[in-house]
Amino acid sequence: MSAKKENTQINIKSSESNFTPKELMWKYFAYLPLFIISFIVCFSIGIYIIRYTPPVYRVATRVFIKSGNENRIGGINKGGANNSGDLIESALFSKKQINLENEIALISRPKLIKLVVEKFNFNYYYYREGSLRRTESYKSVPFEVAILKCVDSGRAWGFGLSDLSKYGGKISFSQGGEKKSTLNFKWDSTINFKGNIIKIICGASESNNYAGHDGYYFEYRPVDATVSEIQGGLLVSSYNIKTTIIKLELKGGDLKKIADIVDALVNEYNHESIEESNIQLTKTIEFINQRLNYVTHELGDVETDIKDFKNNRQIIDISKQSSEALTAKTTTENEITKLDVQDKLISLFGNELQPLSSGEYRLLPANIFLDSQNNIKLGDFGLSRIMSQDSEFAETHVGTPYYMSP
C-alpha cells in the first residue's frame, strides 16, 4: 500500500511539473470574468450606500447642574444640611440637593420635547428632490411654510414645490390615490390645501437663482410622531459619577436641525428650572408674609388686651408715671431756681436804694431809665452836657482822675 501511495504522489508531482507558465496563466484567466463582475457589483453597492444612504449625524452637549451646597450669603453657608440658621433664612436661601437621576428624567421627558417641537416647529420637514431620493434641507430652502389652520393634526401630509421664481411657483399634491394635481401659487398668499390653510413665504432674495433644483417637498408630521423620533435618537446620561454634569446626545439626518433641537431642549430645561425656583420663592414669601401678618395681628390684640386690663383694673404704668414725675420735678426745680435769682436781684437792687450813713443815696430814681422795650437801664447825667454837633467831643475834664461819670 505504501508503495502505491508513493507512486501516485510521484505521478501527481510529475503531472504538475508538466504545466508551462502560459498554461497556468490561462488556467486562472478563466475566472477573470467572474472576478470583474464581482468587483463591479461590490463597487456599485459601495457607491450607492455612500451616495444615496441618508447620513446619520450625532450632536452632544453637556449640562452642569448646580448644587445648593455652595449657596453662600456674606461668606456663611446658608444652604447646608446641618444649617443652624433661622427658619426664614432657610426657607428663602436654602437649595434642594441634586439628584441626577431626577434631572435626567426631567430633561428627557416627552412633555418637554413636545413643548420644544411645538414652539420651534420641528415637525415641519423640508426636502430637496433628487433623481433617486429626497434630502432633508433644514433652513436651507428658499421658502418657509406657515400653517394657519390644520384640520387634522394627527395625520401626516405634504406637497411638492417646483418652478420657483421671484413671483411664486407650482404646488403639486396627490389627490385620490396616485393622481396628482398641480396649482400655481404666489408668495405670501393663503392656499387651501385639503382643508388646511397654509401660506408659503418667500425666504430668498429677488436675485436668488431658483434654477438647478428638481424641486422641493414639504411634509407635516404629527407632533407625537416627531417626539417619538427625537426620543429614539436621544441619549441622556451622567457624564461622571463624581460630577453633577448631564451629557446629551442626539442622532439625526440633519446636523443643523439636531443641533437646534439640543439647544432648544437645554434652554427650555433651564427656563423651567428658573420658573420653578421663582414659583417656590414666591410661595415661600407669601407664606412668610402670612405668618408675619398673623403674628402682627396677634401682638396687636395682646397689646390692646393689656391696655384694657390696666384701664379696667386701674393699674398704674410705673414707667410712664415715673417719667411724668421726673418731668414735673425738673419743671418745679427750674421755677424755684428762677424765683431765687429774681429774689436775690431784688435784694441787691433794694440795698442800692437804701441811703448811706451820710444820708446820700448810691442809686437815685433819676438814674433809672426805660427803653422802648421797657427794659431797665441805669445811667447818670450829673456831669453830662449837650453838644451842638454829633461829631464833637467834650474837651473839659470835671471830677477826679479816678472817677468819671458814665
Side-chain angles (χ1 to χ4, degrees):
M1 290 294 293
S2 60
K4 289 182 179 180
K5 289 182 179 180
E6 291 177 358
N7 292 332
T8 305
Q9 291 178 357
I10 292 171
N11 293 332
I12 293 172
K13 288 180 180 180
S14 61
S15 61
E16 288 181 353
S17 61
N18 291 332
F19 284 104
T20 62
K22 184 177 181 180
E23 292 176 344
L24 288 174
M25 186 174 62
W26 282 108
K27 177 181 178 181
Y28 289 106
F29 273 177
Y31 298 99
L32 183 61
L34 181 61
F35 174 77
I36 294 174
I37 293 173
S38 300
F39 176 78
I40 293 174
V41 171
C42 294
F43 184 78
S44 301
I45 293 174
I47 292 296
Y48 178 83
I49 293 174
I50 293 174
R51 185 171 182 180
Y52 298 106
T53 300
V56 178
Y57 300 96
R58 184 183 68 175
V59 173
T61 188
R62 299 180 182 92
V63 180
F64 173 65
I65 309 298
K66 186 176 180 180
S67 176
N69 294 329
E70 298 179 353
N71 183 24
R72 297 181 180 272
I73 301 174
I76 302 175
N77 191 350
K78 299 292 183 182
N82 298 324
N83 180 26
S84 59
D86 60 17
L87 180 61
I88 295 179
E89 286 185 349
S90 299
L92 285 175
F93 304 113
S94 64
K95 293 184 179 180
K96 62 180 181 181
Q97 299 298 317
I98 298 300
N99 187 332
L100 279 184
E101 296 297 329
N102 292 341
E103 301 301 324
I104 290 173
L106 287 175
I107 199 171
S108 60
R109 71 189 192 276
K111 182 179 179 181
L112 180 62
I113 300 176
K114 184 176 182 180
L115 177 64
V116 169
V117 171
E118 291 177 342
K119 184 175 182 179
F120 297 97
N121 295 329
F122 287 127
N123 59 326
Y124 294 5
Y125 292 80
Y126 298 87
Y127 298 94
R128 290 182 183 271
E129 295 284 5
S131 57
L132 294 178
R133 68 181 181 91
R134 293 171 179 167
T135 304
E136 186 174 1
S137 300
Y138 175 73
K139 289 186 178 180
S140 61
V141 295
F143 64 92
E144 181 181 356
V145 177
I147 301 178
L148 306 180
K149 178 184 178 182
C150 185
V151 294
D152 188 2
S153 60
R155 182 176 61 88
W157 49 270
F159 54 84
L161 297 177
S162 60
D163 298 337
L164 299 182
S165 66
K166 64 179 181 179
Y167 303 107
K170 294 182 179 180
I171 178 172
S172 59
F173 53 91
S174 61
Q175 186 176 10
E178 297 296 329
K179 184 181 179 181
K180 288 188 177 181
S181 300
T182 303
L183 299 174
N184 295 325
F185 73 92
K186 294 182 180 180
W187 297 119
D188 300 333
S189 61
T190 57
I191 302 171
N192 190 337
F193 173 71
K194 297 182 179 180
N196 303 302
I197 308 299
I198 63 174
K199 179 186 290 187
I200 303 177
I201 304 170
C202 180
S205 62
E206 294 184 358
S207 60
N208 187 22
N209 185 12
Y210 297 96
H213 300 292
D214 295 334
Y216 302 92
Y217 188 82
F218 170 80
E219 182 182 7
Y220 168 85
R221 295 182 187 177
V223 174
D224 293 337
T226 305
V227 170
S228 300
E229 180 183 350
I230 293 175
Q231 276 191 305
L234 181 63
L235 177 61
V236 184
S237 60
S238 175
Y239 181 73
N240 193 318
I241 59 174
K242 296 181 180 180
T243 62
T244 57
I245 298 177
I246 294 177
K247 182 179 180 182
L248 279 80
E249 293 184 4
L250 181 62
K251 295 179 180 180
D254 191 285
L255 181 61
K256 176 64 176 175
K257 185 174 183 178
I258 60 176
D260 287 352
I261 292 174
V262 171
D263 290 341
L265 279 174
V266 174
N267 291 334
E268 288 299 324
Y269 169 76
N270 291 334
H271 180 72
E272 281 194 353
S273 300
I274 294 173
E275 289 294 329
E276 182 182 358
S277 300
N278 291 337
I279 292 174
Q280 292 179 354
L281 183 60
T282 302
K283 290 182 178 180
T284 303
I285 293 174
E286 290 178 355
F287 172 77
I288 294 174
N289 289 334
Q290 290 177 358
R291 296 296 96 188
L292 290 176
N293 292 334
Y294 177 76
V295 171
T296 303
H297 180 71
E298 291 295 325
L299 290 176
D301 292 342
V302 170
E303 185 176 358
T304 304
D305 294 341
I306 292 174
K307 290 181 179 179
D308 294 341
F309 180 80
K310 288 181 178 180
N311 293 332
N312 295 333
R313 301 298 189 276
Q314 296 183 353
I315 299 176
I316 299 175
D317 189 348
I318 297 177
S319 60
K320 184 176 180 180
Q321 294 294 331
S322 60
S323 176
E324 292 177 354
L326 290 175
T327 303
K329 180 181 179 183
T330 303
T331 303
T332 303
E333 289 178 351
N334 292 335
E335 293 293 334
I336 293 173
T337 302
K338 183 186 290 186
L339 293 175
D340 289 341
V341 172
Q342 291 177 356
D343 182 62
K344 289 181 180 180
L345 289 175
I346 291 172
S347 299
L348 292 173
F349 191 69
N351 292 332
E352 292 294 326
L353 292 177
Q354 295 295 327
L356 298 175
S357 58
S358 60
E360 298 179 355
Y361 290 90
R362 288 176 295 186
L363 187 64
L364 299 175
N367 299 115
I368 301 173
F369 307 100
L370 294 175
D371 61 7
S372 60
Q373 303 293 330
N374 292 326
N375 295 319
I376 298 176
K377 304 291 183 180
L378 298 178
D380 186 6
F381 294 108
L383 296 177
S384 63
R385 60 181 292 184
I386 299 175
M387 307 299 292
S388 61
Q389 296 182 4
D390 295 339
S391 60
E392 290 183 342
F393 295 94
E395 297 179 356
T396 58
H397 298 276
V398 180
T400 64
Y402 302 102
Y403 175 76
M404 292 285 294
S405 63

